């Protein structure tokens, strides 16, 4: 292969053909020149994570009752701790549970979500008590806080900018949707965390794999790699971050099956990155090389590990005999997938029943919403609502209200979706891999729901794509601010505009905080937050 010159992002940086396959040249082509260093590398992630933790843990035990779907997942977590599988509960037992008097049946329950999220809720209950709000919400608050850290770290890898990493982390920290889901013992915050962790691991793998590719291809100046390497490229073999991504994706599926769309998209995305790396490095048959030396190898290492991780989340059900469908294989000999061992045949039957439930779920619900309304936050879920007359429960005015709704910061939310639309145009025009990565995560979280228009769906199903919305907004902010010259009037004007926007976002979050945390407020103040009728 003959390379006469390689143009780079740095003006005037030209490399001759004799330096094309030196390590520095390959590293520059594959990873670029910019790197982050210094104390801001950890100060910014730490600062936004502390802010997120304060907003997610303060007064976490309020209200001391099971709100919305906590009635399912908290009690399932308790039964998992007691027996290793979910059991039935009697009617109207939430108040008794919160009072420390669980009315747990001996009969196995049919639940349609895998157990990992409920096991994680149970860890908080083990640490801080079964029958208090802090105990059953601790794990969601912890994982929600750590998700903010991951968003910041992802932004560092994507943008190589302390400022944009801080912006992305700050947006995630003060987003009401994320705050409420972190303060409520539902499964979706775990789903979001593991998806985000898998994305972060793949970003690290992209950097690790490209660095390794540069090392294996590198030769001294004036030389060229072996002809076979130039045609097919080297095998990279050990890629620990790719294996970590597989574990995280297995955990995500172990929380909710809706993670499967992210598994498919992320695996395709990783292979496309391999295609790009080998082509950029100068390998002749880059497509064949990436497919056979990266893609097939990745499939046979990642998918078995993902499946093993997912199967491990069912350990409690497999290790006991009382769970629903646990003895189905013994009771139905010769039926089902006959070549599987009996416990796995029973588990397969359980999955078939669960899939039928999910695809056929169409019962009406007062807080359901169509995916087409999600970009506008058209119908957030009212998790908790209590009204008090004067003199009741400390209310000292005519009428007081306590509200918890998973309404996002509306200014931020609408800006995120606008940024997502602009990002599509930017990706089409510039083919920036970062834009493609963010769009891939957003598409995996949104598009699959459009296939089931009759299914009952809720606004909080958007939670797994929220980190990608924040990254999209941070990306477009980065494009809005010109890189050079920093002293120009245009630069100062746009930096001021971004500062004003962020200030508005913070003020709006402060305004909506009472209805994210369930504070007692005047009823008129609650009504002032209802900008759209469907919000109440």
């Amino acid at each position: 292969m003959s390379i006469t010159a390689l143009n780079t992002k740095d003006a005037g940086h030209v490399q001759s053909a004799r330096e094309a396959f030196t390590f520095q040249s390959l590293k520059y082509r594959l990873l670029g020149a910019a790197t982050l260093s210094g104390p801001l590398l950890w100060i910014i992630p730490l600062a936004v994570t502390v802010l997120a933790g304060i907003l997610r843990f303060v007064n976490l035990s309020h209200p001391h009752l099971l709100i919305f779907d906590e009635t399912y997942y908290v009690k399932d977590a308790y039964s998992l701790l007691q027996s290793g599988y979910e059991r039935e509960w009697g009617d109207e037992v939430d108040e008794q549970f919160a009072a420390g008097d669980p009315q747990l049946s001996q009969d196995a329950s049919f639940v349609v979500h895998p157990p990992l999220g409920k096991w994680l809720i149970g860890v908080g209950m083990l640490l801080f008590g079964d029958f208090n709000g802090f105990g059953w919400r601790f794990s969601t608050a912890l994982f929600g806080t750590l998700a903010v850290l991951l968003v910041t770290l992802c932004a560092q890898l994507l943008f190589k900018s302390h400022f944009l990493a801080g912006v992305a982390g700050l947006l995630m920290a003060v987003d009401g949707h994320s705050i409420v889901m972190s303060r409520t013992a539902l499964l979706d915050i775990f789903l979001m965390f593991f998806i985000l962790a898998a994305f972060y691991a793949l970003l690290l793998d992209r950097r690790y794999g490209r660095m390794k590719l540069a090392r294996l291809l590198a030769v001294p100046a004036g030389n060229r790699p072996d002809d076979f390497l130039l045609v097919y490229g080297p095998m990279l073999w050990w890629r620990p971050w790719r294996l970590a991504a597989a574990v995280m994706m297995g955990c995500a599926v172990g929380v909710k099956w809706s993670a499967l769309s992210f598994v498919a998209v992320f695996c395709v995305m990783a292979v496309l990155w391999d295609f790009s790396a080998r082509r950029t490095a100068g390998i002749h048959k880059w497509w064949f090389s990436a497919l056979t030396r990266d893609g097939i190898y990745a499939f046979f290492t990642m998918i078995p590990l993902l499946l093993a991780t997912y199967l491990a989340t069912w350990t409690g059900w497999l290790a006991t005999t009382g769970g629903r469908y646990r003895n189905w294989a013994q009771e139905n000999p010769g039926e089902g997938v006959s070549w599987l061992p009996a416990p796995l045949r029973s588990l397969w039957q359980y999955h078939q029943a669960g899939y039928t439930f999910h695809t056929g779920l169409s019962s009406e619900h007062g807080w359901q919403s169509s995916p087409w309304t999600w970009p506008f936050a058209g119908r957030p879920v009212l998790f908790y609502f209590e009204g008090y007359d004067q003199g009741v429960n400390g209310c000292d005015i005519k009428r007081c209200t306590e509200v918890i709704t998973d309404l996002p910061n509306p200014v931020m939310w609408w800006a995120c979706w606008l940024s997502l639309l602009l990002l599509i145009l930017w990706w089409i025009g510039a083919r920036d891999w970062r834009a493609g990565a963010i769009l891939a995560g957003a598409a995996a979280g949104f598009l699959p729901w459009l296939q089931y228009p009759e299914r009952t769906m809720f606004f909080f199903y958007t939670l797994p794509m929220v980190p990608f919305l924040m990254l999209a907004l941070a990306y477009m902010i980065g494009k809005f601010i010109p890189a050079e010259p920093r002293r120009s009037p245009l630069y100062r004007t746009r930096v001021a505009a971004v500062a004003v926007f962020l200030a508005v976002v913070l003020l709006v979050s402060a305004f909506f905080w009472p209805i994210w945390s369930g504070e007692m407020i005047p009823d008129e103040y609650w009504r002032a937050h209802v900008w759209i009728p469907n919000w109440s």
Side-chain angles (χ1 to χ4, degrees):
M1 176 176 137
S2 175
I3 300 178
T4 58
L6 296 169
N7 295 324
T8 70
K9 295 179 181 178
D10 291 342
H13 187 100
V14 179
Q15 295 172 321
S16 65
R18 69 187 304 273
E19 298 175 327
F21 288 101
T22 62
F23 175 71
Q24 290 302 325
S25 177
L26 285 164
K27 178 184 174 184
Y28 188 88
R29 296 208 305 275
L30 290 167
L31 292 169
T35 57
L36 292 181
S37 60
L40 290 179
L41 194 62
W42 60 268
I43 289 175
I44 289 176
L46 178 61
V48 294
T49 303
V50 169
L51 173 62
I54 293 171
L55 295 176
R56 284 151 180 77
F57 277 97
V58 65
N59 201 22
L60 182 62
S61 60
H62 176 74
H64 180 62
L65 52 86
L66 299 175
I67 61 174
F68 200 66
D69 280 357
E70 285 187 340
T71 185
Y72 303 116
Y73 304 129
V74 173
K75 291 184 293 186
D76 282 345
Y78 179 81
S79 62
L80 283 172
L81 293 175
Q82 299 302 309
S83 56
Y85 58 88
E86 295 91 342
R87 287 153 59 180
E88 291 282 1
W89 294 81
D91 297 329
E92 306 297 330
V93 297
D94 286 6
E95 290 186 3
Q96 292 95 322
F97 182 90
D101 182 25
Q103 305 293 314
L104 182 59
S105 166
Q106 294 300 315
D107 298 328
S109 175
F110 174 59
V111 296
V112 293
H113 292 304
L116 180 56
K118 290 161 280 185
W119 278 114
L120 292 174
I121 293 172
V123 169
M125 297 167 73
L126 276 176
L127 293 174
F128 300 102
D130 296 321
F131 308 115
N132 69 85
F134 188 88
W136 68 66
R137 296 177 188 133
F138 170 80
S139 293
T140 53
L142 176 63
F143 276 71
T145 301
L146 294 177
V148 174
L149 173 62
L150 281 178
V151 167
T152 313
L153 297 177
C154 286
Q156 285 181 339
L157 290 175
L158 285 167
F159 308 134
K160 298 180 181 178
S161 164
H162 293 305
F163 171 71
L164 293 180
V167 167
L170 177 65
L171 293 173
M172 188 74 176
V174 303
D175 170 52
H177 191 25
S178 304
I179 290 172
V180 171
M181 297 305 296
S182 300
R183 296 173 58 88
T184 311
L186 271 62
L187 304 181
D188 301 80
I189 201 72
F190 304 119
L191 176 65
M192 180 190 75
F193 173 85
F194 287 120
I195 288 170
L196 185 56
F199 182 72
Y200 179 58
L202 289 175
L203 290 176
L204 291 172
D205 173 74
R206 183 183 184 275
R207 185 176 66 180
Y208 177 89
R210 288 182 171 228
M211 185 70 76
K212 193 169 186 178
L213 181 62
R215 288 198 182 99
L216 293 174
L217 278 176
V219 293
N223 296 299
R224 53 181 278 158
D226 178 84
D227 288 341
F228 184 83
L229 283 181
L230 273 179
V231 174
Y232 296 105
M235 283 289 298
L236 301 185
W237 297 113
W238 177 244
R239 298 179 71 166
W241 290 113
R242 187 161 280 189
L243 300 180
V247 172
M248 292 299 101
M249 287 189 282
C251 289
V253 180
V255 175
K256 277 191 171 183
W257 291 344
S258 54
L260 287 170
S261 61
F262 289 91
V263 172
V265 168
F266 285 177
C267 288
V268 171
M269 180 180 71
V271 172
L272 291 178
W273 285 350
D274 291 333
F275 275 51
S276 174
R278 291 181 178 261
R279 182 180 183 183
T280 301
I283 295 170
H284 292 185
K285 294 188 177 181
W286 52 269
W287 59 272
F288 181 79
S289 171
L291 183 63
T292 57
R293 292 178 168 248
D294 294 320
I296 294 176
Y297 175 72
F299 179 86
F300 284 105
T301 54
M302 292 179 68
I303 298 304
L305 182 57
L306 189 157
L307 291 174
T309 302
Y310 174 73
L311 191 62
T313 68
W314 288 88
T315 299
W317 186 89
L318 290 167
T320 56
T321 59
R324 181 67 66 93
Y325 288 102
R326 178 62 181 83
N327 301 309
W328 182 88
Q330 291 89 334
E331 297 166 358
N332 299 271
E335 297 186 28
V337 186
S338 58
W339 54 270
L340 285 174
L344 296 185
R345 278 203 298 135
S346 298
L347 186 60
W348 182 260
Q349 180 64 25
Y350 197 149
H351 280 61
Q352 285 186 313
Y355 178 78
T356 300
F357 173 87
H358 280 299
T359 54
L361 182 61
S362 58
S363 56
E364 293 291 325
H365 193 286
W367 293 102
Q368 71 185 61
S369 60
S370 164
W372 295 112
T373 68
W374 294 347
F376 311 101
R379 186 64 169 167
V381 178
L382 191 64
F383 284 170
Y384 170 70
F385 184 95
E386 287 291 340
Y388 304 101
D389 292 326
Q390 188 171 15
V392 178
N393 203 36
C395 177
D396 56 4
I397 58 176
K398 183 177 180 181
R399 182 70 176 173
C400 298
T401 302
E402 291 181 354
V403 177
I404 298 177
T405 173
D406 72 336
L407 174 71
N409 179 314
V411 173
M412 183 197 308
W413 188 258
W414 297 330
C416 283
W417 280 91
L418 176 60
S419 296
L420 201 63
L421 294 176
L422 295 175
L423 196 64
I424 295 172
L425 300 176
W426 194 273
W427 176 73
I428 292 172
R431 287 293 192 272
D432 187 339
W433 74 270
R434 300 170 299 173
I438 296 169
L439 286 172
F446 180 71
L447 295 181
W449 295 110
L450 301 180
Q451 301 179 66
Y452 307 101
E454 303 301 323
R455 191 189 189 281
T456 306
M457 289 176 275
F458 299 94
F459 178 71
F460 57 78
Y461 289 3
T462 61
L463 191 65
M465 65 180 295
V466 166
F468 302 98
L469 293 176
M470 303 303 161
L471 292 171
L473 181 51
Y475 181 99
M476 294 314 302
I477 287 174
K479 293 301 178 184
F480 178 72
I481 299 175
E484 298 292 344
R486 295 197 171 187
R487 295 182 179 180
S488 68
L490 179 62
Y491 177 85
R492 292 196 298 268
T493 300
R494 293 194 175 183
V495 167
V498 170
V500 170
F501 170 75
L502 293 176
V504 170
V505 165
L506 292 175
L507 289 173
V508 172
S509 285
F511 175 70
F512 279 92
W513 167 254
I515 67 169
W516 296 337
S517 58
E519 287 185 3
M520 182 178 290
I521 55 176
D523 190 67
E524 294 82 1
Y525 189 53
W526 148 238
R527 300 300 167 188
H529 293 77
V530 184
W531 296 358
I532 297 175
N534 274 356
W535 289 359
S536 68

